[in-house]
Amino acid sequence: MRTIRRTLTAAALAAPLALAGCGEAAPQVPPSAAQWRDCTTDEFDELPGPLARLRGSGGEALTVKVGPESGPCAGGLLVRDGSGVAGVDVAPLDLDPTTARVVTLASHGGEPRQLLRVDGGSHPRGGFQPHLFALYDGITEVTLDGGPLLPFVATDGGAAPMTARCDDSGGIAVLTATTSEPPGVVLAWDVRRTTYTVEDGEAQSAGTQQIRDHAADPVLRKEIPELFEPTALLADCSVRP
């Protein structure tokens, strides 16, 4: 679930054109007017950070910051653009800012788009939930059917192998493995790759392909080692800000 906050206040949207005289310019929103909740541009500038600089589809690079626990900017993942401060409510996600990574998607001629990956806090069962954010309507979480695009990453040793890569087409490929049937003497895996396009903050499946059939566990660990390494998620296309 995501919460997208408007980037203009109701006061700005309701600029009193009707009260302005003929030929009189409508009042402008002052630079420090509240844009996301009660967070002003002045208050945004005073926040520590930045968490990252993120480039959108138009090539613009915006500063991303995390709101504090209290105050007018609390609970938000925030960006500042020419209109003011925009944000998305991330308080329920328990994000760990130290896990922030900028994910650069493949480009074909234009400016490469970037996403921001930040993981949720440690889970009691052992693991974490990765979250991806895009510059759209300010900033928003990239979702698939209303939930995070990337699967939960279990670190307790009991989860099936999984990883994600940036696809050459400009999307994200999620690789998942399931135990082959019927079981043999040696543990074997079937591996499927599902490619997702990311547009306007939403992911859509572009197709699934089986890329390994009954691959023996030792062989698969050599051929696709990142399946067995939770920290390798999007390692081919992400860097720490």
Side-chain angles (χ1 to χ4, degrees):
M1 181 182 69
R2 70 168 187 259
T3 304
I4 301 176
R5 299 294 179 183
R6 61 181 178 233
T7 59
L8 293 177
T9 62
L13 290 174
L17 292 172
L19 297 180
C22 181
E24 183 179 344
Q28 299 296 310
V29 179
S32 60
Q35 301 293 313
W36 184 78
R37 293 187 175 176
D38 295 322
C39 185
T40 67
T41 56
D42 291 343
E43 288 159 336
F44 176 90
D45 291 342
E46 292 174 359
L47 294 175
L51 181 65
R53 290 276 292 173
L54 202 60
R55 184 167 53 241
S57 57
E60 75 281 10
L62 301 182
T63 297
V64 182
K65 292 186 177 184
V66 178
E69 294 183 359
S70 61
C73 303
L77 186 65
L78 310 168
V79 296
R80 177 181 176 180
D81 59 18
S83 300
V85 180
V88 57
D89 186 1
V90 295
L93 304 184
D94 189 27
L95 297 181
D96 179 0
T98 66
T99 65
R101 298 290 186 275
V102 174
V103 178
T104 301
L105 303 180
S107 173
H108 299 283
E111 286 284 346
R113 291 184 301 150
Q114 293 181 329
L115 306 176
L116 178 63
R117 171 192 166 187
V118 191
D119 299 338
S122 179
H123 194 276
R125 65 175 270 197
F128 55 90
Q129 175 61 61
H131 298 274
L132 292 174
F133 300 90
L135 293 180
Y136 175 72
D137 234 7
I139 189 167
T140 187
E141 182 173 4
V142 176
T143 58
L144 176 68
D145 298 329
L149 168 60
L150 300 177
F152 178 84
V153 179
T155 57
D156 57 2
M162 182 277 296
T163 193
R165 302 168 170 170
C166 286
D167 188 80
D168 290 341
S169 65
I172 291 177
V174 176
L175 281 63
T176 54
T178 55
T179 53
S180 299
E181 297 292 344
V185 177
V186 177
L187 175 64
W189 303 95
D190 297 331
V191 182
R192 291 176 173 81
R193 178 180 61 209
T194 302
T195 303
Y196 298 94
T197 60
V198 179
E199 295 293 340
D200 299 341
E202 294 185 357
Q204 293 186 348
S205 172
T208 299
Q209 179 183 9
Q210 184 164 324
I211 61 173
R212 293 292 189 280
D213 181 25
H214 211 74
D217 184 83
V219 174
L220 191 61
R221 288 178 182 272
K222 290 181 180 180
E223 292 182 344
I224 315 179
E226 61 265 35
L227 280 169
F228 303 90
E229 300 172 5
T231 58
L233 199 70
L234 296 174
D236 64 324
C237 55
S238 63
V239 295
R240 187 165 185 170

